[in-house]
Amino acid sequence: MSSVPVAVVTGSNKGIGFAIVRALCKQFPGDVYLTARDPGRGQEAVAKLQEEGLRALFHQLDIDDLQSIRALRDFLKEKYGGLNVLVNNAGIAFKVHDTTPFAVQAEVTLKTNFFGTRNVCTELLPLVKPCGRVVNVSSMVSSSALGGCSRELQQKFRSDTITEDELVELMTKFVEDTKKGMHEKEGWPNTAYGVSKIGVTVLSRIQARMLNEKRKGDHILLNACCPGWVRTDMAGPKATKSPDEGAETPVYLALLPSDADGPHGQFLSNKTVRTW
Ligand code: NAP
């Protein structure tokens, strides 16, 4: 078994994830795994980094596929006895003018951004070694979508006692409410992406609390963040940040020094803790 530190970035064949891997290859003292659902796109991205003189390793990972997540989990367990850094970056967004029915957009978006990310966490968080760092890439849209929720929902999403099961129930309810055409009446904002990212931010707050309760002495720091508005296939060419600039806050959180005691359980943008 290798004692080399290991970092894993989900959805890193392009965009911000790719830039996070590039930065980690330069700064992380260990093996860096670029992961992708499509091995061809993943290997191509690894080769691109190789041309820049950087060495990333590849492992397949589709966060929508529990078998794929478990295969990565078993690989990390066997080869490294766990992992040191996990960046949950993989995500999707329908374009604004997409005509796919809203209920379908809700189901598909929540499936990857919330349920997929949660499944990765469920399988990989127990493997995170002491002083490990976990970064969940959310979005400022989670904050604006929170503002668009009913008072009752806002209270639930800001609660310091909400459980993961309760959050899953709420995310499931959103999808069901969209199918019944009742989501706005039930206090939800009109954004599937926004609700999925509320899920990611609140999940991060819950997971950080669980780490405090269950692994107090392990000094693991887990946070959610927004990369900013970044020029990628998701956000388009008009966005203000380059992918490397978008990687800065996630990489800052992934590389928090081993003696740092925070941030933990926070939502950050531009390396600054934001009020939730
Ligand atoms: P992007 O260029 O579209 O890249 C998304 C990445 O996620 C791709 O590598 C994609 O792989 C991967 N992915 C999607 N579904 C996946 C799945 N089921 N399993 C594994 N990988 C999957 O988007 P981006 O702008 O870099 O976004 C990265 C993250 O930042 C997302 O979580 C996004 O919500 C968040 N974010 C972005 C912005 C922005 O302005 N760009 C702002 C706030 C937050 P494929 O190539 O196979 O599709």
Side-chain angles (χ1 to χ4, degrees), residues 177-190:
D177 286 347
T178 63
K179 284 182 187 164
K180 292 184 236 155
M182 281 176 54
H183 66 282
E184 284 179 293
K185 212 169 136 217
E186 290 294 307
W188 296 102
N190 211 16

Side-chain angles (χ1 to χ4, degrees), residues 123-169:
E123 300 299 333
L124 296 191
L125 283 190
L127 263 65
V128 174
K129 294 184 181 182
C131 294
R133 305 290 180 246
V134 182
V135 185
N136 295 332
V137 179
S138 183
S139 169
M140 287 303 278
V141 176
S142 69
S143 298
S144 50
L146 179 68
C149 288
S150 65
R151 279 168 70 98
E152 194 191 338
L153 280 173
Q154 286 192 36
Q155 210 170 27
K156 287 180 181 167
F157 290 132
R158 289 201 175 99
S159 156
D160 288 325
T161 53
I162 184 173
T163 64
E164 195 169 317
D165 285 347
E166 286 166 346
L167 177 62
V168 166
E169 226 171 88

Side-chain angles (χ1 to χ4, degrees), residues 10-18 35-38 41 61-65 88-93 95 112-113 137-141 193 197 225-236 239:
T10 72
S12 45
N13 53 288
K14 67 177 185 179
I16 298 162
F18 181 71
T35 68
R37 52 182 163 182
D38 181 83
R41 287 197 288 273
L61 177 65
D62 181 346
I63 72 165
D64 290 345
D65 176 359
N88 282 303
N89 163 82
I92 58 160
K95 302 284 179 221
T112 299
N113 294 4
V137 179
S138 183
S139 169
M140 287 303 278
V141 176
Y193 180 77
K197 292 299 190 181
C225 69
C226 176
W229 191 30
V230 185
R231 290 185 295 277
T232 62
D233 287 348
M234 182 182 287

Side-chain angles (χ1 to χ4, degrees), residues 70-238:
R70 289 184 172 153
L72 175 64
R73 175 201 65 189
D74 294 344
F75 168 79
L76 291 168
K77 222 188 220 174
E78 200 173 308
K79 176 145 193 212
Y80 299 93
L83 83 162
N84 303 81
V85 168
L86 170 63
V87 182
N88 282 303
N89 163 82
I92 58 160
F94 283 83
K95 302 284 179 221
V96 182
H97 299 297
D98 195 301
T99 53
T100 306
F102 188 68
V104 177
Q105 294 199 20
E107 182 155 40
V108 171
T109 308
L110 273 276
K111 181 180 174 186
T112 299
N113 294 4
F114 177 72
F115 292 103
T117 300
R118 173 176 179 255
N119 286 340
V120 172
C121 290
T122 304
E123 300 299 333
L124 296 191
L125 283 190
L127 263 65
V128 174
K129 294 184 181 182
C131 294
R133 305 290 180 246
V134 182
V135 185
N136 295 332
V137 179
S138 183
S139 169
M140 287 303 278
V141 176
S142 69
S143 298
S144 50
L146 179 68
C149 288
S150 65
R151 279 168 70 98
E152 194 191 338
L153 280 173
Q154 286 192 36
Q155 210 170 27
K156 287 180 181 167
F157 290 132
R158 289 201 175 99
S159 156
D160 288 325
T161 53
I162 184 173
T163 64
E164 195 169 317
D165 285 347
E166 286 166 346
L167 177 62
V168 166
E169 226 171 88
L170 284 167
M171 292 291 116
T172 306
K173 182 174 184 305
F174 169 68
V175 175
E176 280 166 9
D177 286 347
T178 63
K179 284 182 187 164
K180 292 184 236 155
M182 281 176 54
H183 66 282
E184 284 179 293
K185 212 169 136 217
E186 290 294 307
W188 296 102
N190 211 16
T191 158
Y193 180 77
V195 172
S196 76
K197 292 299 190 181
I198 289 178
V200 173
T201 303
V202 176
L203 182 67
S204 309
R205 287 160 57 88
I206 295 168
Q207 288 168 340
R209 232 174 52 219
M210 289 301 111
L211 287 170
N212 290 345
E213 284 176 20
K214 293 188 176 146
R215 298 187 61 184
K216 187 86 201 129
D218 281 350
H219 306 288
I220 295 166
L221 298 177
L222 182 154
N223 292 285
C225 69
C226 176
W229 191 30
V230 185
R231 290 185 295 277
T232 62
D233 287 348
M234 182 182 287
K238 288 190 187 141

